[in-house]
Amino acid sequence: VLRPQFERKKIKVDTQIMFDESVSIKTYPSALKRAIINILSNACHFAPENSTVTTEALMKNGNIILRIADQGPGLSYEDQKNIFKFFYSRRPGGTGIGLALAKTAIEHCKGTITFLESPDKKGACFVITIPISL
């Protein structure tokens, strides 16, 4: 869905899946897909040209953990406190609903989403945790 946008900015998407892909998770597929698209759309918007967006998926403690990280400007402390609130946006022309809807969708799947700051305070990193179906 977002490939043309990433190609236009010459952003490489590096994806690593570190578990058996046949694992089942408790989720609503369309909700989770929409959440991931919203996060990747932001990553594409804020990441500089010729950079890399990294996506990693692993299994840990009965959960699937998905990490999406870009090499953009990162988030201020104020932004970190507000990014999941409806109508809060740093994106020019943004509506402020993308990350709020992503959070709602992920919580509907009994999961969580958090922001992690990189050590050099550059780039955004979102971590989604979804329980594995038993």
Side-chain angles (χ1 to χ4, degrees):
V1 172
L2 297 172
R3 181 174 289 150
Q5 293 172 25
F6 280 96
E7 288 175 352
R8 197 169 20 260
K9 286 186 72 176
K10 298 180 179 89
I11 296 173
K12 178 184 173 197
V13 179
D14 180 22
T15 302
Q16 298 177 21
I17 298 174
M18 299 176 256
F19 61 89
D20 179 357
E21 292 182 44
S22 67
V23 171
S24 176
I25 58 175
K26 298 176 184 177
T27 186
Y28 296 91
S30 60
L32 185 58
K33 179 180 177 180
R34 185 73 243 162
I36 292 169
I37 287 172
N38 286 344
I39 295 164
L40 286 171
S41 176
N42 280 350
C44 184
H45 178 80
F46 287 107
E49 286 190 12
N50 299 306
S51 64
T52 300
V53 171
T54 304
T55 62
E56 299 173 334
L58 60 101
M59 190 169 20
K60 184 177 179 182
N61 300 328
N63 296 297
I64 297 296
I65 300 170
L66 176 63
R67 183 179 159 270
I68 301 171
D70 65 49
Q71 297 172 329
L75 295 170
S76 70
Y77 178 71
E78 188 68 23
D79 289 333
Q80 291 175 40
K81 290 188 325 184
N82 294 301
I83 56 172
F84 295 114
K85 293 180 181 176
F86 276 100
F87 309 116
Y88 182 86
S89 179
R90 288 186 336 139
R91 189 176 182 167
T95 61
I97 63 171
L99 289 177
L101 289 176
K103 183 177 190 290
T104 300
I106 291 164
E107 288 174 346
H108 189 67
C109 298
K110 305 293 186 226
T112 61
I113 181 170
T114 55
F115 171 81
L116 292 180
E117 190 171 58
S118 64
D120 60 2
K121 298 187 184 347
K122 291 288 183 185
C125 178
F126 292 90
V127 179
I128 299 168
T129 304
I130 304 285
I132 297 172
S133 297
L134 298 176

